[in-house]
Amino acid sequence: MYMEIIISASSRPPAATEDEAIYAWQASSGQVLRTWTGNTSHTGGLALVGAHHLVGAQLGSSSLHFWSLAKEGAPVQKASAPERITSVAGSDDGIWLAAASEAGSIYLWQVASGRQLAAWSAHCKPVRQLVFGDGLLVSAGDDAVVHVWALAELTSADRGPAAEPRPLHTFGQHSLAVTGLWLGLDRLISVSMDRSCRVWSLMTYGPELTVALPAGATAVTAEPLACRAFVGTCDGRLWLADLRPTADGGALHAFASDAHRQAVTALSVSVDAMRLVSAHADGGCIVWHVPSRQRLVAFAAHKGAVTSVRFASRNILDAAARVNLGHMSKYKTVPAADPSAGWLAGVPLPLPAARTDVFAPTSDAAGCWQLDTVSGCASPAVQSGSTGCNAGRCEHVCAAATADQSRSQLGDWQTLSSQLFRLVTGSQT
């Protein structure tokens, strides 16, 4: 039987001296199932890495803490990032981990090896939101810009070390900081303090719908098929936006006018879209019955402002006990000459160049790079007979052509996804 739990975290109250806890609790009763300590993560600073670990960016520092879902208590691993981290995200399959900084940089690692695959300057202001999708990484922050990145390009060995990744697309229609993101099958939803909720198509990379809000938005989530979105605002109210391609599309309805006394900080909806959990700045969480809009459970174990909340399968607490944790706690010693080879070994990683523009970053002319088909490392092209990275096995690979091919393949998949969405929802548009 499929059962859902809720994982919530909070930041330390201003007058407190002890760190806050992360709780896994029963969605139907509020009963605490598991507790992890040593956390001071902020909004957007906690993420699930697959179905076996939690990672949290600690408030005001560059520390990343890892907790095993199978083990209560203190973090099983601690790491240090190159700069202060403002948001983290883990892919659902547990392969990738991304973190963003106050300076607007984004770092991408492979979880199993700890290898840093990319580090680049993505935004000109702090990045507050990161979310993984099917082959995508989406980022947004205080610069009011939303970038969509292709994982195929970020993880490609064909990209030269000096080449800055280019966003697949950039949405720059918000006028104030973007405070929430939700990524679905072929739709992206963003909310901002400019009192707007915008729906973007990942097929055409254009705007589909804009919903005006009565107050600055602070959190957003949506049903699995993105037919309806739930938005929390800075005045503590919850709103329901109809996103269906009908005459009522774009309509905004009050879901709960007295949901919280302070700003809504996080939202999550269950798989069957029957329950919604909301978190707020005064330390409480509420589970709602969506059809009736009635409160089902109130959870008040947190002492500080709740910064993260999400539904998850009850099975992850049991399955995690069978996962080998060696890859998260034991890393090879990294030679100082190769700072990009690992990220938990205490070796300082190079910082990306500062970003001064607002839209897509300018990329160096990468030219053609030689790819070592044995070791997978890329190096500048060498003349025949010269020394290099296994020159006899190297072949010329054009980074730009490879990126264009990845974008084309991603577009084909998104076309198929859109057709499936229309078939399920019965839309003819």
Side-chain angles (χ1 to χ4, degrees):
M1 179 180 180
Y2 182 82
M3 297 180 63
E4 285 186 306
I5 62 172
I6 295 173
I7 298 176
S8 59
S10 59
S11 61
R12 183 170 52 198
T17 57
E18 297 182 357
D19 293 342
E20 267 287 275
I22 304 171
Y23 296 101
W25 45 284
Q26 195 70 43
S28 58
S29 63
Q31 177 187 0
V32 175
L33 302 175
R34 200 154 292 175
T35 304
W36 299 277
T37 59
N39 172 65
T40 58
S41 61
H42 42 74
T43 302
L46 185 75
L48 271 174
V49 182
H52 44 80
H53 283 86
L54 286 166
V55 58
Q58 303 308 291
L59 182 65
S61 73
S62 60
S63 297
L64 293 173
H65 291 184
F66 294 85
W67 296 268
S68 168
L69 293 176
K71 181 181 179 181
E72 284 190 309
V76 296
Q77 183 69 52
K78 295 182 180 180
S80 180
E83 49 187 326
R84 288 186 177 182
I85 298 300
T86 54
S87 58
V88 294
S91 61
D92 291 338
D93 54 16
I95 296 177
W96 315 115
L97 173 65
S101 72
E102 287 184 347
S105 303
I106 299 180
Y107 299 86
L108 179 67
W109 295 284
Q110 185 181 49
V111 173
S113 66
R115 183 176 180 85
Q116 178 188 321
L117 301 178
W120 71 101
S121 183
H123 294 260
C124 61
K125 290 186 178 181
V127 181
R128 304 295 181 185
Q129 300 292 324
L130 282 175
V131 60
F132 278 97
D134 191 359
L136 300 174
L137 174 65
V138 183
S139 62
D142 291 353
D143 59 0
V145 175
V146 179
H147 286 312
V148 181
W149 310 89
L151 283 176
E153 183 175 355
L154 297 177
T155 60
S156 174
D158 301 337
R159 185 172 55 86
E164 283 275 323
R166 295 180 302 163
L168 196 63
H169 198 80
T170 296
F171 303 111
Q173 283 79 356
H174 284 294
S175 58
L176 293 176
V178 178
T179 53
L181 289 176
W182 183 88
L183 183 59
L185 189 64
D186 64 346
R187 275 180 158 185
L188 171 66
I189 302 175
S190 62
V191 296
S192 169
M193 291 302 294
D194 63 5
R195 301 187 177 188
S196 69
C197 171
R198 296 180 181 270
V199 183
W200 315 94
S201 170
L202 295 180
M203 279 294 306
T204 62
Y205 288 104
E208 279 193 355
L209 197 64
T210 299
V211 180
L213 302 170
T218 52
V220 65
T221 190
E223 297 175 344
L225 291 178
C227 295
R228 296 184 297 178
F230 303 91
V231 181
T233 52
C234 58
D235 56 5
R237 290 184 290 177
L238 295 176
W239 301 89
L240 176 63
D242 191 337
L243 307 181
R244 293 173 295 181
T246 62
D248 294 332
L252 184 68
H253 309 281
F255 185 86
S257 58
D258 58 344
H260 301 291
R261 293 171 293 176
Q262 297 184 25
V264 179
T265 55
L267 294 169
S268 182
V269 68
S270 61
V271 173
D272 59 4
M274 296 297 289
R275 289 177 294 183
L276 171 75
V277 58
S278 60
H280 54 113
D282 57 9
C285 299
I286 299 175
V287 180
W288 304 85
H289 183 243
V290 173
S292 65
R293 304 183 186 180
Q294 298 297 313
R295 303 187 186 200
L296 298 177
V297 178
F299 186 77
H302 292 287
K303 299 177 182 178
V306 181
T307 56
S308 177
V309 66
R310 63 169 298 162
F311 278 94
S313 170
R314 173 66 174 82
N315 295 333
I316 65 174
L317 298 182
D318 301 325
R322 301 190 295 270
V323 174
N324 183 8
L325 303 180
H327 66 283
M328 294 300 296
S329 58
K330 296 179 181 179
Y331 279 77
K332 297 179 181 179
T333 302
V334 182
D338 187 11
S340 65
W343 59 292
L344 290 184
V347 177
L349 299 178
L351 294 176
R355 183 179 171 88
T356 57
D357 65 316
V358 174
F359 296 100
T362 57
S363 175
D364 296 335
C368 287
W369 289 79
Q370 281 191 338
L371 177 66
D372 183 347
T373 57
V374 175
S375 65
C377 63
S379 59
V382 295
Q383 299 295 328
S384 176
S386 62
T387 58
C389 175
N390 292 327
R393 298 189 179 97
C394 290
E395 57 183 355
H396 286 284
V397 179
C398 182
T402 304
D404 292 340
Q405 183 180 6
S406 299
R407 294 166 191 263
S408 176
Q409 293 174 350
L410 183 61
D412 294 341
W413 167 244
Q414 290 170 348
T415 301
L416 181 62
S417 299
S418 179
Q419 294 173 352
L420 177 62
F421 171 79
R422 293 189 177 94
L423 179 63
V424 174
T425 58
S427 171
Q428 300 298 322
T429 59

